[in-house]
């Protein structure tokens, strides 16, 4: 080791002495070859010699040889500037080149769309709540009136973490969490991510966003549900949008309805439309009057209070709002796609 240190010190002095004599490109090249030449350059030979250094010293020896190599390279670079005929340093900045563009971050289109939805409901006096993405069977199913082994559980293809823990399949469990803590009147929306065992296609993903709505009060009726949702959809899509309520089933609402909007992608005119399947309509949300059993589960008296609720697919609805035919674009993070929404 001591030998190596001495050798490097000697070579360092030699390099400095030779560097003083460099006056043109030729002598610079000779100096480069003497030290960095592939076969007999001093630095190259030092690296060769490393092979014979005992294992315990190798790390330190390698560090010293590498440091010396950097010293030589830096020295040669400085000399390059000195010997150029026009006197410019070797790595001068070329001011004629176009500058490098710095990209500025921007909110994701789904975040923008979620904010748009939130603003409409905030304007109607709703508050925003949140809940956990990892749920227990009780909140995701049982308290929402899905008894164990009930066949309706099958329509939510659930990703289980272990027996009682799962990734929530919808935002509805947060209804229960809120009603356990707060008493009516309740008027909230709950945006969040949900998960299902699904094969992706243009309108389905295994992870997507929902926004839940819940109103519980004395005298809340289906007419309030219908009026509020119609107002909301028109605020998002404009007055002319066609909306239809279709009877449906959810264990936690009775009666239940799903809401479809006309297919904005094909205007209902393309029998092979990949978005609406040629039907001209696409479901965007499920809704209904809160099942009295659900109110009982959270100790709210169903004789005194009634409620209505809905769950809207944010990604699904954003596709229509932005005229996108493929939901997967939202998650691929292709900048050519994202830049259309404000990222610069
Ligand atoms: C539910 O999830 C119920 N929790 C909704 C609800 C809430 C009903 C409150 C009654 C009262 P559903 O599985 O239909 O329902 O999903 C609701 C919406 O989520 C759908 O209308 C659709 O817009 C969206 N959605 C459902 N599955 C997917 C998926 N795989 N990918 C993207 N969006 C989806």
């Amino acid at each position: 080791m001591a030998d190596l240190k001495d050798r490097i010190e000697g070579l360092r002095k030699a390099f400095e002495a030779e560097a003083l004599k460099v006056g043109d490109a030729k002598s610079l090249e000779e100096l480069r070859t003497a030290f960095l030449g592939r076969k007999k350059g001093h630095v190259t030979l030092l690296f060769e010699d490393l092979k014979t250094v005992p294992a315990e010293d190798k790390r330190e020896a390698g560090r010293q040889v590498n440091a010396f190599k950097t010293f030589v390279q830096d020295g040669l670079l400085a000399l390059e500037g000195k010997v150029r005929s026009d006197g410019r340093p070797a790595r001068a900045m070329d001011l004629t080149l176009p500058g490098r563009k710095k990209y500025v971050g921007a909110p994701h289109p789904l975040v923008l769309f979620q904010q748009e939805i939130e603003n409409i409901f905030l304007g109607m006096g709703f508050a925003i709540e949140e809940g956990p993405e990892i749920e227990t069977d009780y909140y995701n199913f049982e308290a929402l009136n899905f008894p164990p082994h009930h066949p309706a559980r099958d329509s939510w293809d659930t990703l289980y973490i272990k027996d009682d823990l799962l990734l929530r399949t919808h935002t509805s469990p947060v209804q229960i969490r809120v009603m356990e803590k707060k008493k009516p009147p309740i008027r909230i929306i709950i945006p969040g991510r949900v998960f299902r065992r699904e094969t992706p296609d243009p309108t389905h993903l295994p992870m997507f966003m929902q926004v839940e709505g819940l109103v519980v009060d004395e005298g809340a009726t289906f007419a309030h549900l219908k009026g509020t949702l119609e107002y909301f959809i028109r605020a998002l899509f404009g007055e002319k949008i066609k909306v239809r309520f279709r009877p449906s089933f959810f264990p936690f609402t009775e009666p239940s309805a799903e809401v479809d909007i006309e297919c904005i992608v094909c205007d209902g005119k393309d029998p092979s439309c990949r978005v609406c399947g040629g039907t001209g309509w696409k479901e965007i949300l499920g809704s209904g009057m809160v099942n009295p059993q659900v109110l009982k589960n959270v100790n709210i008296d169903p004789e005194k209070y009634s409620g209505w609720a809905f769950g809207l697919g944010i990604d699904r609805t954003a596709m229509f709002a932005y005229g996108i035919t493929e939901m997967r674009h939202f998650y691929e993070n292709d900048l050519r796609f994202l830049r259309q929404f404000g990222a610069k």
Side-chain angles (χ1 to χ4, degrees):
M1 272 297 283
D3 279 2
L4 183 78
K5 222 174 172 180
D6 291 347
R7 256 178 77 199
I8 290 179
E9 203 35 49
L11 285 169
R12 186 188 301 272
K13 285 193 181 127
F15 181 84
E16 282 167 351
E18 290 303 314
L20 288 177
K21 295 184 208 153
V22 167
D24 55 18
K26 186 164 169 280
S27 52
L28 173 63
E29 217 35 53
E30 281 166 7
L31 183 62
R32 186 193 307 280
T33 312
F35 279 82
L36 296 180
R38 280 235 202 118
K39 284 197 179 137
K40 290 193 186 143
H42 296 303
V43 175
T44 315
L45 293 177
L46 282 173
F47 275 107
E48 282 290 310
D49 291 353
L50 272 183
K51 290 180 194 152
T52 60
V53 170
E56 64 271 22
D57 294 336
K58 246 195 183 108
R59 200 185 158 96
E60 175 56 19
R63 197 192 60 73
Q64 289 182 16
V65 175
N66 269 312
F68 180 60
K69 184 181 175 190
T70 310
F71 165 79
V72 170
Q73 285 171 328
D74 289 350
L76 291 169
L77 203 63
L79 289 170
E80 267 175 37
K82 193 174 135 195
V83 303
R84 277 182 75 118
S85 55
D86 56 9
R88 278 198 290 136
R91 293 203 177 164
M93 223 191 297
D94 184 348
L95 296 176
T96 63
L97 285 174
R100 279 203 197 116
K101 193 164 185 257
K102 291 252 190 312
Y103 292 107
V104 180
H108 189 274
L110 286 178
V111 172
L112 289 176
F113 193 62
Q114 181 182 324
Q115 284 168 353
E116 209 175 322
I117 293 173
E118 287 173 0
N119 284 339
I120 297 173
F121 281 102
L122 288 171
M124 289 192 274
F126 283 68
I128 299 176
E129 294 278 349
E130 281 180 353
E133 289 174 1
I134 296 176
E135 265 300 1
T136 59
D137 183 276
Y138 177 76
Y139 285 104
N140 199 76
F141 289 123
E142 207 170 328
L144 288 165
N145 202 31
F146 291 83
H149 311 299
H150 190 283
R153 288 183 177 219
D154 295 346
S155 51
W156 276 265
D157 273 325
T158 311
L159 292 155
Y160 282 91
I161 294 170
K162 52 185 183 181
D163 294 346
D164 185 42
L165 274 189
L166 47 85
L167 293 176
R168 67 177 177 193
T169 56
H170 50 175
T171 40
S172 301
V174 192
Q175 286 190 27
I176 303 294
R177 291 185 176 276
V178 172
M179 287 192 287
E180 277 178 347
K181 283 200 223 96
K182 295 190 178 154
K183 292 303 149 206
I186 294 170
R187 200 187 298 142
I188 55 164
I189 55 164
I190 308 150
R193 222 187 318 227
V194 302
F195 308 84
R196 292 183 194 178
R197 196 191 290 267
E198 289 258 19
T199 309
D201 70 22
T203 59
H204 292 85
L205 288 176
M207 181 189 84
F208 58 99
M209 304 277 301
Q210 284 189 339
V211 60
E212 190 86 6
L214 173 71
V215 171
V216 185
D217 205 348
E218 285 181 56
T221 69
F222 200 92
H224 298 137
L225 177 160
K226 200 158 177 273
T228 310
L229 288 179
E230 277 179 357
Y231 171 84
F232 161 69
I233 292 169
R234 293 193 201 293
L236 259 191
F237 290 100
E239 285 300 317
K240 292 207 180 94
I241 184 87
K242 283 197 201 119
V243 183
R244 74 176 183 190
F245 283 72
R246 226 177 349 94
S248 183
F249 171 78
F250 298 101
F252 39 97
T253 48
E254 179 58 37
S256 307
E258 282 178 328
V259 173
D260 300 338
I261 57 169
E262 63 181 326
C263 180
I264 291 171
V265 172
C266 77
D267 281 336
K269 290 188 185 119
D270 178 4
S272 59
C273 176
R274 288 171 73 227
V275 172
C276 70
T279 61
W281 295 95
K282 193 71 197 175
E283 174 208 320
I284 57 163
L285 66 88
S287 66
M289 298 304 294
V290 179
N291 192 312
Q293 183 57 49
V294 173
L295 295 178
K296 277 190 207 150
N297 292 347
V298 289
N299 291 323
I300 292 179
D301 180 2
E303 297 298 327
K304 185 168 178 206
Y305 294 105
S306 54
W308 54 269
F310 68 89
L312 167 99
I314 296 186
D315 321 48
R316 178 85 62 86
T317 312
M319 283 179 70
F320 290 101
Y322 295 140
I324 293 161
T325 53
E326 171 59 74
M327 200 185 277
R328 280 169 279 198
H329 289 331
F330 285 128
Y331 293 91
E332 283 160 352
N333 285 336
D334 183 331
L335 283 176
R336 289 168 302 176
F337 175 77
L338 296 177
R339 285 204 188 109
Q340 298 175 60
F341 299 89
K344 288 281 175 298

